Amino acid sequence: DASRPYPFYLAPPLETGPETLGEAADWLAEWKWDGIRVQLLRRAGRTWLWSRGEDLLNGRFPEIETAAALLPDGTVLDGELLPWVGEAPLPFAQLQRRIGRKTLGRKVLDEVPVVLVVYDLLEESGEDLRALPLAERRTRLAALLARTPSAGRLMLSPAIELASWAGAADARERVREMGAEGLMLKRLAGGYG
């Protein structure tokens, strides 16, 4: 079924210090955002937007669907749907203004614009990429987003540079100022679980 998402890869909380994970250079750190985790599917000339809870969100975020129509067929993105203005997310409460509405008026669309901060590329040209290392999937994702004129609606999740695990601790201190909930650590050599 072309409309069905892949199972979502969920990260468990880190129970020990990050130094137990090995070298910091082997990991990608990203902000953990407070939005709606989704998979955006572009297959068979159609778009589907699925939440982690397997709710179909089509029609609720038309600006994301418009941007998705510019993606090549056979593309599946994993990301976080966020209310966003300028360079920063808005509080989740703003997104809730849009979630429960049956119809979206111009006012709420203007006041609560959304973006998809994209974490991963799961499928490209119909090929399942989940077994490839994250580093390769991220390189392909960056290239795909760079050539897709999505008017800023599809954004590559920013990487947090880690020269050491002390850098991760420093980044954690900036979580609130970034409007995030925490950090995500992903092994660069790992597949999508």
Side-chain angles (χ1 to χ4, degrees):
D1 181 356
S3 72
R4 299 303 303 170
Y6 291 105
F8 281 79
Y9 188 11
L10 305 177
L14 187 60
E15 301 291 338
T16 60
E19 56 281 345
T20 63
L21 300 175
E23 295 295 319
D26 294 338
W27 294 80
L28 168 69
E30 295 173 297
W31 300 111
K32 182 184 182 310
W33 301 108
D34 186 15
I36 300 173
R37 177 84 179 277
V38 298
Q39 283 184 30
L40 186 153
L41 289 64
R42 182 72 183 159
R43 294 178 176 147
R46 296 188 55 202
T47 298
W48 293 275
L49 189 62
W50 289 95
S51 74
R52 185 182 77 182
E54 295 197 14
D55 291 322
L56 186 60
L57 302 177
N58 285 31
R60 295 185 192 166
F61 302 98
E63 59 269 67
I64 300 301
E65 291 178 55
T66 298
L70 302 172
L71 291 167
D73 226 35
T75 299
V76 176
L77 305 177
D78 179 12
E80 195 86 10
L81 192 63
L82 294 164
W84 196 278
V85 173
E87 299 295 316
L90 297 171
F92 185 76
Q94 292 297 316
L95 189 58
Q96 289 176 316
R97 292 177 54 199
R98 290 187 59 166
I99 292 172
R101 293 180 185 250
K102 291 191 185 215
T103 58
L104 295 169
R106 176 59 33 208
K107 182 176 188 223
V108 76
L109 288 170
D110 290 343
E111 290 177 357
V112 188
V114 295
V115 299
L116 180 61
V117 176
V118 185
Y119 298 131
D120 214 330
L121 178 61
L122 308 184
E123 186 177 309
E124 183 178 40
S125 300
E127 178 188 358
D128 182 350
L129 304 181
R130 294 175 298 158
L132 295 177
L134 173 60
E136 183 175 340
R137 294 192 318 271
R138 186 165 170 92
T139 297
R140 289 183 181 202
L141 174 61
L144 172 67
L145 294 178
R147 66 179 180 265
T148 303
S150 69
R153 297 292 182 190
L154 306 176
M155 300 170 37
L156 180 64
S157 175
I160 302 166
E161 298 299 324
L162 294 182
S164 68
W165 290 119
D170 292 343
R172 266 191 96 189
E173 295 296 319
R174 298 187 1 248
V175 163
R176 289 201 192 280
E177 104 185 29
M178 295 301 298
E181 292 186 310
L183 294 180
M184 297 294 296
L185 299 174
K186 301 174 184 178
R187 189 180 301 276
L188 288 165
Y192 187 93

